[in-house]
Structure formats: C-alpha cells, structure tokens
Amino acid sequence: MTESNTVQSIQDQDSLETRSAINLRRKPRIGEWLIQIFLFLSAAISIVTTVGIIYELGVESLGFFSRTLWENTNKSLTTAIDLDTTELAVSASGRSPLNGDQIKIEEEIMLVTTVSSNVINVERGYKDTVPAQHRAELTLFRANKVTLIEFFTGTTWIPQIGKFGILPLVNSTIIVSLIAMVIAVPVGLSIAIYLSEYATTRVRSVLKPILEILAGIPTVVYGYFALTFMTPSLRTIFGASNVEIYNMAAGGIVIGILVVPLISSISEDALSSVPRSLREGSYALGATKLEVAIRIVVPAAISGIAAAIILAISRAIGETMIAALAIGAGPNFTFNPFKGAETMTGHIVRISGGDLSYDSIDYNSLFAIGLLLFFITLGLNIISQQIVRRFREVYE
Amino acid sequence: MSDISVKTTGTSEANDFFPKLDFRHRVGRAWLAVFQASTMIGIIALSALLYNIINSAFGLVAIEYKLDPDTLVIDGTPIEEMNQGQLIQVIQENISAGLLRQLERETPLTEYSLPGLNSIIVDRVLRPDVKRSWSLIDSIFSRDEIFVEASAEFPKAELEFRSWLTTDFITQPQSSQPLYAGVRTAIMGSLLIILITILVAFPLGVGAAIYLEEFANPNFWVNRIIQTNINNLAGVPSIIYGMLGLAVFVRLLEPLTSGVAFGYAEAGATLNGRTVLSASLTLALLILPVIIINAQEAIKAVPSSLRQASFGLGASRWQTVWAHVLPNALPGIMTGTILAISRAFGETAPLVVVGASTFITFDPTGPFSKFTTLPIQIYQWTARPQDEFRNIAAAAIIVLLVLLLSLNASAILVRNRFSRRNW
C-alpha cells in the first residue's frame, strides 16, 4: 500500500511528537488522472460510432434523395434547333414534361414554360448550361428526383432506368424473416423448455455444446449449406420446376436454423431464472410436469422469451451472407417463397462487391437502404429492451 | 410419476378427477416427444451441415490430361521413376521454346528439385483439366455408375480420388483454376487483420468497461446514454458497420488508411483506402460492443469485498482496479475477447463492403496492403457457377472451421484454467 511518507523537517523544536510527520494530504496523481481520461474516451468511442453511423448513412441518403435523375422521356426533337429557339417541336411518343420541369438535351438544361401538343416552349441555358445547337432526333431527358413516397411504395428497383422503389427488397426481407421465425420459434422454444424442465445433466452437457457450436459457425458456411444442400433438397421435394435455384425458402429455413441457438439460450436463461418455489407450488396442487412448464413457468418468463424472439427477428433481418448466396440475384417483388428475390442486405453486398464509383446514385442508394435497415433493427432492439424492463417479473 | 389407480368410490368429482389424470399424462408425454423432436432437429441440422461439407470436400474427379502421362517414357522408364536428367529432357522436349526460355530465366532447370520438376511437368506438359467432380458419398457407393458415366462423357479422362483439402491447398495462393487454387493469401489476410483488430479493440474495449463499471457515476446522464448506446450497438447488423467503414475509413480517411500520409508508396500500386488497416478498424468497431459487455460482466463478478479491502488500506481507485479487480476479472475478459475474435474471424459482409480484393495472389505485406480473407474467399468460390469451386469452397470451409474450433477451444481452456477462484 502506498501511503506517502514525507519526512518533514520540523522547524519547531518544541514539538515532542515525532521527528517525521506523515503528510496525509491527498497527493495529486496525474498519471491516474490521465488514465481516467483515456478510459472515458474509450467509452465515448461508442457514442462516436453511433453518431458516425447515423451521420454517414444520413448524409448519403440525403444525397440520394436530392440527386437529380435524368429520365428518358422517349420524346425526341423533330426539327433541329438553334442557339436561341425557344419553341421545340417534339415527337408525339413518350411522356410529356410538365410546366416548370427541367429537361435536358445533350448537355443543355432547359426550363419548360408551356406545353401544348407536340410543342414545348422553354427557357434556354437554364442552370448555367451553355445554349447550343441541337440536331433533330435527339431525345429529351426529364429531371426527376426520388421522392420518399416513391422510395417507400414503388415496387420496382431498377437503378438503370431510375426506379427506386424499395418494396421488393423489404418484401423479400419480411418473407425470409417470417419463414425463419416459423422454423426458429417453435424449435428454439421447445429446446429451451426441454433443457430447463426435462433434461438431465448428462443430456444438457451434450446439448449445450452442440448449440454453442451451431451458434459459432460463420454465416458464410450457412450460406454454402443453403445453396448446396437446402436448395437441392427443396427441389427434390417440391419439384425442380417449382423451385428456382435461388429462392427465399432455402435461405429462410437456414436463417431459422442459424437463429435457433439465440432463441433457445436466451429463453432458457429466462426459464431457469423462474424460482423453484413456483414450480413446487404447482406440483403440490397436482399439476403434471407439462402443465407446470407450459402454464406456470413459461408465462412467468414470458418477457425474456418475447425479448429473445424479437432479438432473433432483428438478427434474421440483418442477416447478409445467407441472403447473398442463396436467396436471390436481383430485386423481385413476389410472394412465392420458391422464387428468388434479393433482400435488402443481399442487395447491399452485391452492389458494393462490384465496382462502385463514389458519387453515383447506386452508392447513395446503398446508404438509403442501410439507413432503413439500421432503423428497423434499432427499433426492434429498443422494443425488446423495453419489454424486458416493463414486463419482467422479479421474484424475491 | 406413477399413475394412481383408485377404485371409484366416493363423490362423482373424485370419479372425474382420475380419468382426466390419464389424459393429462398422455398429453404430457406427447408434448415431451415434441420437445425431444425439436432437439433432434437441432442436432440433425448440425449433422447435415457437416455431412454436406465433408461430402463436397473429397471425391472422385474426372481429369483430362492434355498429354497422356503414359506416353512420356524414355527408354522404357515411366515418368514416376525418372531421375532429374530424364525429367529435364522430358520438359525440354514437350514445351514450347518460348516457355522454356521464360522458365530458364526465372530459375535454371537444373536447380529444381525432383518434386519441383514434377510439378512443372504436371503444370505445363500434362496440363490437367477437371471435367467433373463427384461427392464423397457418390464416390463410395456409386463407383460403378460413375465409371460408366465418365467413360461415356469424357472418354479421355481419368478417374482419380482426390481430396480437395491438401497441404498444397493451404500453401498455394489464389488461382482462377480450381485445381491449383489455395487459400494461402486468404489465411494470411485473415490473420493479419485479426492481429490489428485485437491490438485496437482490446485496450479500447477493456478500458471502456473499466470506466463504465468502476469510474462512472451511474446517475450521471452521459454514462447512462453510453451504456444504452453500447447495448444497442451490439445488436446492429454487421453490414451497417461495413458501410460505416466504407464511408469513414475508406473514403474519408483515405490518406491515413492507404498509407499515403505516412509516405508509404508501393511501386505501381493504386493507393486507395481499401487496405488491411480499414478492414481491421471496421472489425474493431464491430466487436467493440461485444468485448465491452463481456468485460463488464467479468468486472461485475469480482466481489466488492476485494475492492473495499483495498480502499480500506488506502489505495486509490485506479490502484484498486489495476492491482486487484483486473487480475481477478482477467480470465472472464480473456474468454469474452477470444469469443469476440472468433466472431470477427468469420465475418464476411462488412469486409466485402469495405472492399476486399477479388483476386490477389500475393501475401499481404503490412497494414497498407490489399487484402482478402478466408470467409470472403469461401463466399467468392461458392458464388461461382462451376461445380469444382464448390469443392474447394468446402475444403476452405473445413480449414475455417478448424481454425475457429481451435480458437474456441483455447477460450474454454483459458476459462477452465483460470477459473479457480481465489476468494
């Protein structure tokens, strides 16, 4: 121990006590103070991380929604125009722009002032572009932005033609997670009940390591399993013409298997923490083992079980590699689980695995999807924490 | 619980009770069967997974050699028994002059060992090409059918039994041909990334845990926000961390992570932020919440009597932590850290987003090199349409699982060895 002893020479010769006085003053410890600052900063890095995630995702998503897309109107000029012609004769095909729209021919942007059949009046050289001569047969491009409504309700996602509706991706994610939960919740809960109520110590010592191994296998391996085992099995069972090579069912089942250890371990913790007195009381009243488990213990632990299920949903939604390998190669809005349809996560991985230029709309769209994913999983995690806090029954 | 059979005497309520008891027990037994079946499903899933992988990693292959090895005889000596001089003669006779010059320029033929000459002969003279591969179970049980099929479709091919997991597989770098591909680049990349990740994440994680448990006033609102924040971050999908890494480490901090700021310039390399350093930092952020939560649990488990005793003897807070709390919490912290590391080892999605290279054949040389990791290699091979890539993906998965198993086993060893409690 380090009491600091400072020998103090005593001026007062009259003092009879000691010749060395112990200085009990608190010694300033700069080193420890510095260490505390380092520790605080380590903890604060987590805040920086969250702020960083939200900021980066937000900034790029903002860029996504404010970027101007030039949509091909399928209209073309029927006659060539000069530098200062403000009346454009256009073909009858395609979509007409509206008053106030911006259109682009070659490199020049123009503002539409009036539109009548096949004639468009424009203001030339809009937005600091240089007016130029344009020959006939050039196509008009119309300025378009991705609106929030289109983002959330559009049913096609084809960046090349400017369609950014996220519903196919969200739909696929929801269906895959649903299939995963249909598998994982019954199996996981049954395993948890079995482990906590019925299993002998020997069985537990075999089963728990197996569950830990299942939980520790990397998701890439599960993806390989889904592609090379699950899909062929499904094709044999349901017929090769009904099940595509990439399908949501195989991925969903394997994600379910992935998530079973999560549900079973958290539920088993919750079930085990129900005190024995409750069980013994109900045995004393004549209940059978099953009735004790299902009618007494499970309701007592329901908050933990619900939290486990919600965490599992959040994990299934965020699952990437299985989705990338086995579920689909492109966005597809379908309710048939045997067809391939990319999930949000699979799409992000596929696009960012290829060549990606930093200022393209594809890059920004990834962050918009990522932001949505982040909020969904964050929301689910917060709900699960609140459920535990509010409905947890604390005994003794 | 034995069924109690009682003669029906007494009230009708008593009569009603016991028949129902039978029913209730039967229902209980039925549900017990359901629970046990669910447990079996878990075990079956794991076995199916392992079976599938092992099935793909070994098997018969139909190999077509461009040149039949049997035709390469000199004076009646088959190729397996030739000495060095004869092997060199075979090489000189059978490969083009230009290729011979190129080989001689790298290393003269006389300096090659016998196995080296053999591999040159296999590579350049015989030029094997895998036509089709079969799984292990098929190879064992349907051998005859495979022979028939192979001789019908690939008459020039030979059937050999091949284990796709060989020592060559582990030491060879990547290749576009499944026969020669190896995971060496991937393993080196994985190990280097994990090393840097540990160096970054361990001090930060343990430091944050110490702060939250020992120094932070729980009523101060900043500390509560930090705590909830960490709990939330642990549940964020890993791909979001990848996007964060892409935006911050690869783009924003490009001068730092590509090494340009430190004057590091590889000759002819395109310097961008997609380096080992960015990958490690991203992974460090990913496992940081897990390490913090585990370390917090370990520190909480140290009884407060130890701390009180230390304070009673006049130690300062940091001295207590450093000399008493940390040594006792260290086994738990180590276990948690090793588990977090094994999770980081298997992560694929964030590294794909951060920018793992799709095809590199040289080992990573430092924190500023391009990289690929074992899980990413598996992902790329699995995604290819040709069947042979599934085989080597399976072999790579075996390597990955063995590495992870040893990591987890060491975690359990650490836990068991240091779990003698000294309080």
Side-chain angles (χ1 to χ4, degrees):
Chain A
M1 291 301 109
T2 56
E3 284 297 0
S4 58
N5 285 335
T6 51
V7 175
Q8 209 175 6
S9 62
I10 296 177
Q11 303 279 12
D12 190 354
Q13 292 295 331
D14 288 337
S15 165
L16 295 174
E17 273 134 357
T18 59
R19 288 222 260 142
S20 60
I22 300 175
N23 185 1
L24 287 175
R25 276 251 185 89
R26 185 173 171 164
K27 195 169 128 179
R29 295 171 187 273
I30 310 243
E32 297 195 1
W33 186 72
L34 284 174
I35 291 180
Q36 280 192 39
I37 297 217
F38 165 73
L39 295 179
F40 175 72
L41 288 177
S42 311
I45 285 207
S46 64
I47 304 244
V48 173
T49 310
T50 313
V51 166
I53 290 180
I54 297 184
Y55 173 73
E56 280 297 334
L57 292 179
V59 154
E60 301 285 350
S61 308
L62 218 60
F64 172 69
F65 285 111
S66 56
R67 185 181 275 269
T68 316
L69 287 178
W70 291 108
E71 186 190 328
N72 189 341
T73 58
N74 286 327
K75 268 192 185 305
S76 46
L77 287 175
T78 47
T79 47
I81 55 174
D82 272 340
L83 288 177
D84 48 2
T85 329
T86 55
E87 217 175 82
L88 309 176
V90 294
S91 59
S93 57
R95 269 186 71 182
S96 265
L98 307 168
N99 288 357
D101 276 351
Q102 297 169 29
I103 57 173
K104 186 163 87 160
I105 302 181
E106 282 186 316
E107 291 307 316
E108 188 191 339
I109 302 180
M110 312 174 200
L111 181 67
V112 173
T113 49
T114 45
V115 177
S116 49
S117 60
N118 299 339
V119 171
I120 303 179
N121 289 316
V122 297
E123 194 183 297
R124 302 291 300 263
Y126 197 58
K127 283 233 161 116
D128 294 328
T129 50
V130 174
Q133 294 178 329
H134 300 290
R135 53 173 217 280
E137 311 280 321
L138 285 176
T139 19
L140 271 64
F141 288 89
R142 190 175 143 263
N144 200 5
K145 282 196 210 302
V146 185
T147 60
L148 271 178
I149 298 184
E150 186 197 334
F151 186 66
F152 280 113
T153 59
T155 59
T156 48
W157 179 279
I158 307 176
Q160 288 84 357
I161 62 174
K163 290 264 171 258
F164 287 104
I166 205 175
L167 278 191
L169 301 176
V170 169
N171 179 51
S172 169
T173 310
I174 292 181
I175 292 183
V176 165
S177 307
L178 214 63
I179 298 177
M181 285 301 120
V182 159
I183 304 258
V185 169
V187 174
L189 210 50
S190 308
I191 293 183
I193 296 178
Y194 182 71
L195 275 178
S196 78
E197 303 293 317
Y198 288 91
T200 59
T201 332
R202 247 186 42 187
V203 172
R204 290 189 74 170
S205 65
V206 165
L207 210 48
K208 290 209 109 179
I210 290 185
L211 284 176
E212 278 190 27
I213 293 178
L214 266 181
I217 294 182
T219 55
V220 164
V221 180
Y222 277 112
Y224 177 87
F225 178 60
L227 191 60
T228 57
F229 183 85
M230 243 341 137
T231 306
S233 313
L234 284 179
R235 298 189 95 195
T236 350
I237 297 180
F238 291 104
S241 52
N242 293 329
V243 179
E244 294 181 7
I245 296 197
Y246 293 117
N247 57 74
M248 294 195 272
I253 295 176
V254 173
I255 294 183
I257 297 177
L258 174 76
V259 151
V260 158
L262 188 69
I263 294 185
S264 75
S265 69
I266 300 184
S267 306
E268 201 235 326
D269 281 344
L271 289 169
S272 304
S273 63
V274 173
R276 288 186 61 195
S277 50
L278 282 176
R279 294 189 182 88
E280 288 170 358
S282 60
Y283 281 133
L285 288 172
T288 61
K289 200 160 193 173
L290 175 76
E291 286 159 1
V292 168
I294 301 245
R295 296 213 207 161
I296 308 287
V297 181
V298 168
I302 197 77
S303 70
I305 295 178
I309 295 180
I310 295 183
L311 274 177
I313 296 179
S314 148
R315 179 93 164 83
I317 288 182
E319 181 42 56
T320 316
M321 292 324 292
I322 303 181
L325 279 172
I327 291 188
N332 184 13
F333 188 78
T334 170
F335 290 111
N336 181 358
F338 294 130
K339 291 202 180 302
E342 221 174 22
T343 62
M344 291 195 278
T345 48
H347 182 79
I348 296 178
V349 162
R350 182 172 65 90
I351 298 291
S352 55
D355 286 323
L356 197 58
S357 63
Y358 286 144
D359 278 316
S360 60
I361 195 162
D362 283 335
Y363 182 76
N364 293 32
S365 68
L366 288 189
F367 285 85
I369 304 177
L371 193 62
L372 184 63
L373 192 64
F374 177 69
F375 280 136
I376 293 179
T377 47
L378 190 68
L380 283 174
N381 287 341
I382 291 183
I383 291 178
S384 117
Q385 283 170 12
Q386 294 291 12
I387 288 185
V388 168
R389 267 211 351 221
R390 289 205 190 188
F391 298 109
R392 183 155 152 207
E393 314 223 10
V394 181
Y395 302 98
E396 28 201 295
Chain B
M1 262 195 193
S2 55
D3 287 20
I4 305 173
S5 58
V6 169
K7 292 264 190 251
T8 52
T9 58
T11 62
S12 57
E13 285 146 14
N15 291 344
D16 286 336
F17 175 74
F18 287 110
K20 273 210 131 163
L21 191 64
D22 265 348
F23 171 70
R24 285 157 65 201
H25 280 305
R26 258 178 301 155
V27 169
R29 277 194 289 269
W31 276 98
L32 177 61
V34 168
F35 296 150
Q36 284 170 328
S38 306
T39 315
M40 288 311 296
I41 291 184
I43 301 181
I44 290 177
L46 183 61
S47 330
L49 187 83
L50 294 175
Y51 159 80
N52 185 34
I53 293 172
I54 297 186
N55 208 15
S56 305
F58 309 97
L60 287 173
V61 290
I63 298 190
E64 221 173 70
Y65 290 99
K66 284 273 184 307
L67 202 60
D68 192 350
D70 292 336
T71 58
L72 292 172
V73 282
I74 298 185
D75 307 325
T77 339
I79 197 158
E80 291 88 27
E81 297 171 22
M82 289 188 199
N83 61 18
Q84 190 180 20
Q86 292 172 317
L87 287 175
I88 294 183
Q89 189 182 358
V90 166
I91 293 178
Q92 287 169 331
E93 283 175 9
N94 285 297
I95 59 179
S96 66
L99 195 53
L100 191 58
R101 271 201 301 273
Q102 190 182 18
L103 278 179
E104 284 276 339
R105 240 196 320 232
E106 286 175 17
T107 341
L109 281 183
T110 42
E111 288 185 23
Y112 275 98
S113 60
L114 272 181
L117 289 173
N118 263 321
S119 71
I120 294 184
I121 292 184
V122 169
D123 274 354
R124 310 281 187 182
V125 178
L126 298 178
R127 277 179 293 164
D129 183 23
V130 175
K131 287 297 178 195
R132 188 177 295 181
S133 58
W134 288 269
S135 66
L136 186 63
I137 296 294
D138 282 345
S139 311
I140 296 184
F141 293 114
S142 329
R143 235 189 137 85
D144 301 325
E145 291 158 12
I146 294 180
F147 270 122
V148 168
E149 184 187 336
S151 41
E153 288 190 48
F154 313 111
K156 291 202 301 172
E158 288 183 14
L159 269 185
E160 347 183 305
F161 187 82
R162 184 190 167 85
S163 151
W164 291 93
L165 179 67
T166 60
T167 38
D168 269 349
F169 182 69
I170 301 182
T171 52
Q172 291 274 28
Q174 201 179 6
S175 157
S176 51
Q177 287 223 357
L179 210 53
Y180 300 122
V183 288
R184 175 199 168 118
T185 333
I187 294 184
M188 306 294 302
S190 274
L191 291 177
L192 188 59
I193 289 180
I194 290 291
L195 186 66
I196 302 184
T197 305
I198 299 176
L199 286 177
V200 172
F202 186 72
L204 287 178
V206 176
I210 295 177
Y211 172 77
L212 286 171
E213 284 299 312
E214 298 286 328
F215 290 93
N217 180 2
N219 297 324
F220 187 32
W221 60 277
V222 173
N223 299 323
R224 267 191 303 196
I225 288 188
I226 294 183
Q227 184 70 59
T228 13
N229 191 33
I230 291 179
N231 292 340
N232 281 333
L233 276 181
V236 169
S238 55
I239 194 168
I240 305 273
Y241 283 102
M243 298 170 73
L244 177 69
L246 177 66
V248 172
F249 296 125
V250 175
R251 269 195 85 181
L252 208 62
L253 296 180
E254 183 162 355
L256 219 66
T257 51
S258 62
V260 172
F262 303 112
Y264 178 91
E266 235 169 57
T270 50
L271 293 164
N272 55 25
R274 296 170 187 254
T275 55
V276 166
L277 192 59
S278 309
S280 308
L281 290 176
T282 310
L283 276 187
L285 280 185
L286 177 71
I287 63 174
L288 205 55
V290 178
I291 293 185
I292 293 179
I293 293 179
N294 270 327
Q296 271 186 294
E297 293 294 319
I299 293 178
K300 265 192 244 212
V302 176
S304 56
S305 50
L306 276 179
R307 295 190 186 91
Q308 312 287 5
S310 169
F311 288 137
L313 287 171
S316 71
R317 197 165 265 273
W318 171 249
Q319 287 164 341
T320 310
V321 166
W322 183 249
H324 295 283
V325 175
L326 262 191
N328 282 312
L330 207 57
I333 295 180
M334 295 297 301
T335 315
T337 310
I338 296 181
L339 289 175
I341 289 171
S342 64
R343 179 176 158 192
F345 206 88
E347 280 294 340
T348 328
L351 296 183
V352 171
V353 175
V354 162
S357 305
T358 44
F359 193 84
I360 52 173
T361 51
F362 47 86
D363 292 344
T365 51
F368 301 115
S369 335
K370 301 195 210 178
F371 67 97
T372 181
T373 64
L374 195 51
I376 292 182
Q377 190 71 81
I378 297 175
Y379 166 59
Q380 284 168 348
W381 280 338
T382 314
R384 302 252 203 137
Q386 294 101 333
D387 272 342
E388 295 78 45
F389 283 106
R390 306 282 162 81
N391 295 82
I392 52 176
I397 289 180
I398 294 183
V399 174
L400 178 65
L401 287 181
V402 164
L403 281 171
L404 283 179
L405 203 68
S406 38
L407 259 180
N408 283 357
S410 65
I412 297 181
L413 270 177
V414 164
R415 181 167 61 190
N416 288 344
R417 200 177 143 213
F418 290 107
S419 76
R420 305 158 295 135
R421 308 230 145 157
N422 37 14
W423 58 76

